[in-house]
Amino acid sequence: MAHSAGFDLNSYEMELDYENVAETDSVQDSFCQLIREPGPNSDRNPEILQMEVLGECRDNQSLHVKEEPQGREQTNSLHREQSSAATHRGMSSLPRRTSDQSSAAVNSQCPRRQHSLRGVSSRTRIRCDFVQADSDEINERDNKTERLLSNLKRLSVGDRVRRLRAMPISLKDKIKLRKRAFSDAAENSLINRDVPCCSRLRVYTVRIWHHCLFSCLSSLTSLQLWQSPMKRLSGRFGTSVLSYFLFLRTLLFFNILLLFINSLFLVIPQAIHPPPFDPNLKTFPGLEFLTGTGYFSQSVMFYGYYTNSIIKTCTAADLSPGYTGESTDQTVCDTVTSSQVMPYNIPVAYFFTIGIAFFIICIILVYRMSKSFGKSFQVLKSHGDLAVKVFCSWDFKVSKKTSIRLQSENISTQLKELLSELMCGEVEKSCMQWLQHMLVHLFAWTVCLASIFLGALAVYKLSDHMHPHDAEGSVLKEVRLLVLSAVVSGINLLLPGFFNLVSWIETYDSPSVPVYVSIFRNLLLKVSVIGVLCYHWLGRTAVEPESQGLQCWESFVGQELYRLLLMDFIFTGLYTFFGEFLWRLFSKQVLKRNRKPVFDIARNVLELIYGQTLTWLGVLFAPLLPAVQIIKLFVLFYLKKSSVMLNCQASGKPWRASQMTALFTSLLWFPSFLGAAVSITYTVWTIKPSSGCGPFRNLTAMFQAGKMWARELENTNPELWWLSWAYTSLNGDLHSCSSSRRPEESHQPVRKAN
Amino acid sequence: MGTTASQLGKDLLSEYQELTFLTKQEILLAHKRFTELLSKEDKALPNPRIPMQSILTLPELKSNPFRKRICHVFSTSDMKDGSLTFEDFLDLLSAFSDSATLEIKSHYAFRIFDFDDDGTLDVGDLEKLVNCLTGETDDTRLTPDEMRQLINNILEESDIDKDGTVNLSEFQHVISRSPDFVSSFKIVL
C-alpha cells in the first residue's frame, strides 16, 4: 500500500471501466484442441504435451463464477493467441466471468472429456487428435489473433491500452499486439476521412486530457515520502508493522492539507495586517514553547490574534494597511474607488475556512473508509481456512533472511495448530472451567473500568483546581500550567501498560479477540479523558470565563490543547527511548529471553489517533496547531523507526493487516473526527465568544458571522439569493437541532431572533 | 525491440508505462538495477538476457523461497533456464507492483505455485508449496501425516469440481476470500 493518501486511482479507474465483450462458447470448445507447441517440437515431448492438453482442457472447462466482493463485475473474457509458449498458457488459463447458469452448463461438459483423457489408451486418442489438430493449429491461431484484435479495436484507445495492460501475457507479446491493434486503427482512420472534425477534436482533447491526468498522477505518486525507510521496515517486519507507518503518513498528509487551507485563507491575510501588539505581557523566553503563553499568545498561532475587521487591500499608491481591535468595519482606502478595493472579511473567512476544511476532511475520510472496508471485506469463512492460509499467507515483501526464517516458523506454527485443532476437535470446556474464565474476565474488566474512571476523575479534579489567573507572575507559576497536560499524558501512557498486564491473566479462545479487547479498553480511556477535558473547557471555562480570570478563553483552550499535544509528544519520545530500549536490555539481561519484544501496533495507532483528535479539536482555537502536529509526526516517524529496528522483532501472531487498517480508519472517523466535529459545531453554535479578543467579538455566537455575510450578500448581489437562502435554512435546521438537544443550558444568553 | 545499455528511449518508456502497472520512476529504477546486473559483454547486445543466477543476487529475491519459480514463470527464454530480458523483468515487477489487479496477481501466483508447470496444483505441487512455506529446518517441517492431512483439507476446501487438483479458477476463488493477498503479493525495488 505504498500509494496511500488516495493516489492509487490507477487501479481504481481500471477496475471501473471494464466492459463486457461478448464471447461465444464455441471458442471455448476449440481451446481443448489447442496444442502448446508447434509441430516440430511436439515430437520431442509427446507425453508432456498430453499432460498439457489435459491441463488446459480442465482449465477451460471447469470455469467459475467470480464476483468481486464489492459487487463489481469484471469481464476479461478475451481469448488470445500468442506465439510464445508461456504467453499461450497465460491466455488459455484465463478465467471467464460469466453468469451462474452458463458456468454450470460448462461444468457439466467437463467430466466426459477429463475421464476420456485419463489412462494409457487415451494417449493414443490424444495423439490422433493432436496430429489432426496440428494441421488446423495454424488456422486456429490466426483466427484467434484476428478475433482478439477485432475485440481490441472495438474499444476506445484508452480502454484498449488498459485491457492490454491487464492481460497476463508477456510484455514482448503485448507490444506486438499493440502495434497490430493500433496500426489497424490508424489505417481505418486514414480511410474514413469523412469523420467529422468536431468528433476528431473531441478524441484528441480526450486523449490529451488522459495523458495529462496520467502524467500528473504519476508525478504526484513520485512524491513518495519515506519510500526507502518503509521498504526496509517491510523487508524486516512485514505488512503488519508497515501498516502503522502508513497510517502515520496518512495522518501527516491530512495535517498538511489542513495547514495549507488554514494558512492560505486565514493566517496569511491576517499576518499581512497584524493587530496592535500588547506590550504588557511579560515574556519568559524558552518556556513559551512549552506553555504557549507569553509571546505566543499574541502570535498568529492562537485565536486571540485574529481581528474582526474587514481588511481592504487597495492598489492605490498610498497603502496603509488597516487594523483595529474595536470597530467592525474599517475602510482604509477612502480615496480609492470601490472597484479597486478587495475586502477580506476576517470573521467570515475564519468561520468558513474552518467549516470547509472540516467538510473536505470528512469527505476524504469517508472515501478512504469505504475503500478500506471494500478491501477488507471477507466472505464468511469456514472453520479452519487452511487453503487460504497456505495460498495467501506468504508475505513477498519480506526480504531479510532472518525475517524470512521467522515468517516460515510462524506459518509452520499456525498450520500445525490448525491441523491439531482439526485432528483433535474442539476441546470441550467443563462448566467449572467456563465459570472460572468468566470470573477472571469479569475481574479484569472491573479493574480496567475502575482505573479508567479514576483517571478521568483525577483529570476532572485537577482541571478544576488549576486556575489560569494564578499562573501569571513567575516562572514556577507558569510551569504549573503544564501539570494538567503532564498528568493527562502520564495517564495515557501508563494505563495501557496496566491493561496489558491485566490481559495476561485472561485467556481467550481466538487470537484476534485480545487485540480487539485491548483496543477497546484503550479507546475507552482516551475517550473519557478527552470527554472530561471538553466538558471542562466548553461547559465551564467557556461559559464563565471571568470566574477563571480569563480575558480570552478561546486562546486559553488553544494553549491547553497545544500543551497537551506537546506533552504527549515529549512523553512518547521519552517512553520510546527509555521504555522500549530499557525493556529490551532488561528482558535480555535479566529475564534472559532470546526474543526481543514485539511492537505493539494497536497501542501506537491509538496514540496517533488521540493526537489527531486533539489537533482537530484545537484547530478552531489555534489555526496553526496542524503545523505542530506535522512536526510531531515527522519526528515521531524517525523515532519509532529507529526504535523498531533496534528493539523489536516481528510478531509471532497473525495480524490481519487490511482488516486492522479498516478498523483504524473507522476509529479515526468515529469517535475521533466526528467527536471533534460535534464539539466544534457545539462551540460555534451555542457558546458566546469572548468580547475582548478574536474575530467573533461582539457576536452572540460564532455562526452569526456567516449569517451576517449571507445577509450582506443578499443586499449587494440580489441574484445570489439562493446561496443566502440555502445558508439560512441550513442554519435554521441546525439551530433548532442544537436548541432541542440542550434544553438544560439555562445560563446561555438569550439569542437574537434569526 | 530491446533496450540500449545506458538509456531508455522515451517512446519505449511511454510504451512500457502504458502496458505495465509500473510508474515511470519504477521503470527507470528497474532499468538501472537491470543494467547493474549485466556483464560487460552483454551490455553491448541489443536485447540482453540475464541468467537466473544473477537475478537471484537481487536482495529482494535472494532469500525468497519462491525465487527460482518466479524466474521460471516470467522467463521467455526458449531454453527454460529462467533467464530474463529487461521486458521479462518489467513483467515481473509489474505483476508484483502496487497497482496490479487481483486477477494478474492471482494468475501469476498460480503459475509460481505450479511447480511442475502442468496448469493445475496437484498433490505434488501442494506438497512442495507447503515445504517452501515452512522452511528448511527440521522442526518447522510438517510430518508426513500432517502433510497428508493438510493437503486433504486444502483439496476439500478448494477443489470444487473434485478432480483432485486445484485449477486456476478454484485458486482464484480461494484467493478472493483473503483481503490480505494483494498487499502481501508485492515486491518493490
Side-chain angles (χ1 to χ4, degrees), chain A residues 23-36 52-61 63 77-82 87-96 113 133 140-141 143-145 147:
Chain A
E23 281 289 329
T24 59
D25 276 340
S26 59
V27 178
Q28 228 175 316
D29 284 341
S30 59
F31 251 17
C32 279
Q33 294 174 23
L34 279 174
I35 313 299
R36 210 170 96 143
E52 285 153 6
V53 169
L54 188 72
E56 278 182 19
C57 190
R58 251 189 260 132
D59 274 345
N60 293 305
Q61 293 287 38
L63 291 173
S77 54
L78 293 172
H79 296 280
R80 287 158 270 272
E81 225 307 322
Q82 291 307 311
T87 309
H88 193 250
R89 156 159 308 293
M91 270 172 41
S92 59
S93 46
L94 267 180
R96 222 182 89 161
R113 243 182 234 270
E140 288 280 355
R141 202 178 287 174
N143 284 343
K144 269 177 202 38
T145 320
R147 236 189 308 247

Side-chain angles (χ1 to χ4, degrees), chain A residues 40-165:
Chain A
N41 292 340
S42 63
D43 292 331
R44 266 190 272 137
N45 304 319
E47 283 87 359
I48 294 176
L49 282 168
Q50 285 146 25
M51 283 300 293
E52 285 153 6
V53 169
L54 188 72
E56 278 182 19
C57 190
R58 251 189 260 132
D59 274 345
N60 293 305
Q61 293 287 38
S62 58
L63 291 173
H64 263 281
V65 174
K66 179 173 178 239
E67 284 203 354
E68 290 285 273
Q70 299 94 325
R72 280 184 251 140
E73 276 213 11
Q74 291 187 17
T75 310
N76 201 352
S77 54
L78 293 172
H79 296 280
R80 287 158 270 272
E81 225 307 322
Q82 291 307 311
S83 47
S84 83
T87 309
H88 193 250
R89 156 159 308 293
M91 270 172 41
S92 59
S93 46
L94 267 180
R96 222 182 89 161
R97 282 162 204 96
T98 56
S99 63
D100 256 313
Q101 291 81 21
S102 59
S103 77
V106 162
N107 265 330
S108 61
Q109 294 172 35
C110 181
R112 183 186 60 83
R113 243 182 234 270
Q114 285 178 7
H115 291 309
S116 67
L117 290 171
R118 282 193 223 266
V120 178
S121 57
S122 63
R123 284 193 188 168
T124 45
R125 195 184 327 175
I126 293 169
R127 213 171 285 200
C128 293
D129 284 339
F130 157 70
V131 165
Q132 190 185 8
D134 191 18
S135 53
D136 309 318
E137 176 217 321
I138 296 170
N139 292 339
E140 288 280 355
R141 202 178 287 174
D142 287 341
N143 284 343
K144 269 177 202 38
T145 320
E146 291 310 312
R147 236 189 308 247
L148 170 66
L149 285 172
S150 66
N151 285 334
L152 281 177
K153 277 180 236 162
R154 268 189 258 161
L155 306 172
S156 69
V157 172
D159 287 342
R160 208 175 296 170
V161 164
R162 270 176 287 184
R163 185 63 62 88
L164 268 176
R165 190 189 306 168

Side-chain angles (χ1 to χ4, degrees), chain A residues 402-572:
Chain A
T402 45
S403 305
I404 286 186
R405 201 171 47 221
L406 202 66
Q407 209 190 151
S408 301
E409 274 175 39
N410 289 345
I411 293 178
S412 162
T413 320
Q414 285 168 40
L415 285 176
K416 286 188 184 180
E417 271 175 21
L418 279 172
L419 280 172
S420 67
E421 247 179 62
L422 284 175
M423 288 205 263
C424 308
E426 291 258 344
V427 175
E428 283 291 318
K429 275 201 288 222
S430 70
C431 201
M432 275 307 294
Q433 269 188 326
W434 181 84
L435 203 64
Q436 196 181 21
H437 281 160
M438 275 297 123
L439 280 174
V440 169
H441 280 307
L442 200 66
F443 172 69
W445 272 103
T446 320
V447 165
C448 291
L449 288 174
S451 56
I452 291 174
F453 178 71
L454 285 172
L457 195 67
V459 172
Y460 180 75
K461 287 283 182 229
L462 200 63
S463 60
D464 215 1
H465 182 68
M466 293 275 130
H467 285 295
H469 70 253
D470 288 345
E472 278 145 38
S474 71
V475 180
L476 202 62
K477 297 253 175 85
E478 291 253 340
V479 172
R480 275 188 66 191
L481 282 174
L482 295 171
V483 171
L484 180 64
S485 2
V487 165
V488 169
S489 298
I491 288 176
N492 273 328
L493 204 67
L494 293 173
L495 279 185
F498 176 66
F499 296 155
N500 278 345
L501 278 174
V502 167
S503 71
W504 273 357
I505 61 171
E506 296 175 286
T507 53
Y508 293 99
D509 287 332
S510 147
S512 56
V513 173
V515 179
Y516 288 123
V517 166
S518 97
I519 289 177
F520 182 72
R521 286 176 182 160
N522 265 334
L523 195 64
L524 207 58
L525 169 69
K526 293 185 159 57
V527 163
S528 8
V529 165
I530 292 185
V532 164
L533 285 172
C534 274
Y535 170 71
H536 169 67
W537 292 325
L538 300 179
R540 288 198 303 206
T541 312
V543 171
E544 292 160 358
E546 295 78 21
S547 69
Q548 307 264 347
L550 283 171
Q551 295 289 71
C552 196
W553 65 266
E554 294 98 341
S555 281
F556 173 70
V557 172
Q559 285 160 4
E560 283 271 275
L561 280 162
Y562 170 77
R563 287 194 283 267
L564 275 172
L565 212 57
L566 214 57
M567 275 292 139
D568 184 53
F569 174 51
I570 291 174
F571 272 62
T572 312

